[in-house]
DNA sequence: TTCAACTGTAATGTTTAAAATTACAGTATG
DNA sequence: CATACTGTAATTTTAAACATTACAGTTGAA
């Protein structure tokens, strides 16, 4: 599974978590644990799809514009990772005499495409808001365990 | 997505297609388009799960013992590819002060685990028999287009 | 009873894809 | 016009996937 998808979700949730909903690629990269160039490349894609606003120049960065409750993981998957589920590895050989060897690749491709649709269907029920809520639930849990320790 | 899964499905369908339901790792590797050592490693796993019989020594090889209608792609996925859907890449850092950075990995892990379950559910509705039928459907299509050419 | 044809598996080498890094042009701000 | 950003191409590094070699163990047949 494509890590760009994970980075994008993390970045967007991070932005959503900030009061100003804004951060530079350096701040995001630091929080995510990757390189700022990678973040910029991914955020570029999200900007083209209208999820974030970009401001170049000093004091610039990325600002979350999307409605957290409206954007689902399926949207992000489609923007950044569509097709990544289908393996590049091909089995068999279309030019072969054997029916199995010559057609297995097409058959498997169909199965994987359909599997990916199911995956997207599952992702379409998870919004960025849901993810942020899960993070907040962790926060409460952490606070509880700290209280117990004291 | 793990190519061992694809190789296993291809190999099993290939065996099912043969009158004797039997072939050596060399024959299978040739049909699949990979190396025989790779096939042997994968078939070893399938043997341990009881899908094929193995016969060492001269004239040996692998024989399909499983019921085509009973074995689903979910079975094969669980034997060979379970967990491969979850990305190894981790975002954030659990030791971090920020709630997002410290918990994003756990949250994403949960989402991916659940996604994998959905995937398995989808695969559980596709039997090896179904795959072989799809291959046979290709065969008929090929025959038709040959007739048209004549 | 030994040779040829197999499997099983570990070790190694090769290739490819993923990720990080460097580099630099373009843009806003003070 | 210096500083702090984005955008993107090119390059290097790293890690994973895959192929290959090597060899011990097994079986059947000449």
């Amino acid at each position: 599974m494509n890590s760009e998808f994970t980075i994008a979700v993390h970045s967007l949730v991070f932005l959503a978590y900030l009061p100003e909903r804004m951060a530079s690629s350096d701040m995001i990269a630091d929080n995510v644990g990757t390189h700022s160039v990678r973040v910029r490349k991914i955020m570029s894609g999200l900007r083209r799809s209208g999820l974030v606003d970009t401001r170049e120049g000093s004091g610039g960065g990325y600002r979350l514009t999307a409605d957290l409750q409206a954007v689902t993981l399926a949207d992000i998957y489609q923007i950044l990772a569509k097709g990544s589920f289908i393996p590049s590895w091909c089995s068999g050989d279309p030019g072969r005499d054997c029916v199995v060897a010559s057609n297995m690749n097409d058959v498997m491709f169909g199965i994987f495409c359909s599997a990916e649709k199911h995956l997207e269907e599952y992702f379409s029920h998870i919004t960025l808001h849901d993810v942020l809520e899960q993070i907040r639930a962790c926060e409460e849990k952490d606070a509880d365990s700290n209280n117990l320790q004291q």
Side-chain angles (χ1 to χ4, degrees), chain A residues 84-139:
Chain A
S84 72
F85 178 71
I86 288 114
S88 53
W89 204 89
C90 286
S91 97
D93 172 5
R96 198 73 176 265
D97 214 22
C98 168
V99 215
V100 180
S102 61
N103 293 307
M104 186 55 80
N105 193 46
D106 281 355
V107 170
M108 288 308 288
F109 183 77
I111 288 168
F112 281 123
C113 283
S114 179
E116 190 177 50
K117 283 209 189 75
H118 280 255
L119 206 61
E120 288 177 34
E121 211 278 326
Y122 162 71
F123 281 148
S124 74
H125 295 301
I126 303 173
T127 66
L128 286 180
H129 178 261
D130 295 333
V131 179
L132 186 56
E133 281 306 302
Q134 285 191 44
I135 292 285
R136 292 223 166 96
C138 292
E139 186 170 28

Side-chain angles (χ1 to χ4, degrees), chain A residues 26-47:
Chain A
D26 262 331
M27 291 168 65
I28 297 171
D30 175 64
N31 195 271
V32 170
T34 185
H35 203 271
S36 60
V37 173
R38 191 127 193 260
V39 169
R40 291 207 287 271
K41 191 165 165 277
I42 291 167
M43 296 308 268
S44 264
L46 299 180
R47 169 180 50 86

Side-chain angles (χ1 to χ4, degrees), chain A residues 2-15 28 32 34 38-39 42-43 45-46 51-52 64 73 76-77 79-81 128:
Chain A
N2 203 318
S3 67
E4 293 195 359
F5 174 76
T6 304
I7 293 173
V9 175
H10 188 145
S11 301
L12 291 172
V13 169
F14 176 61
L15 287 178
I28 297 171
V32 170
T34 185
R38 191 127 193 260
V39 169
I42 291 167
M43 296 308 268
L46 299 180
L51 299 188
V52 296
L64 179 66
L73 298 193
I76 299 167
Y77 183 87
I79 294 167
L80 291 171
L128 286 180

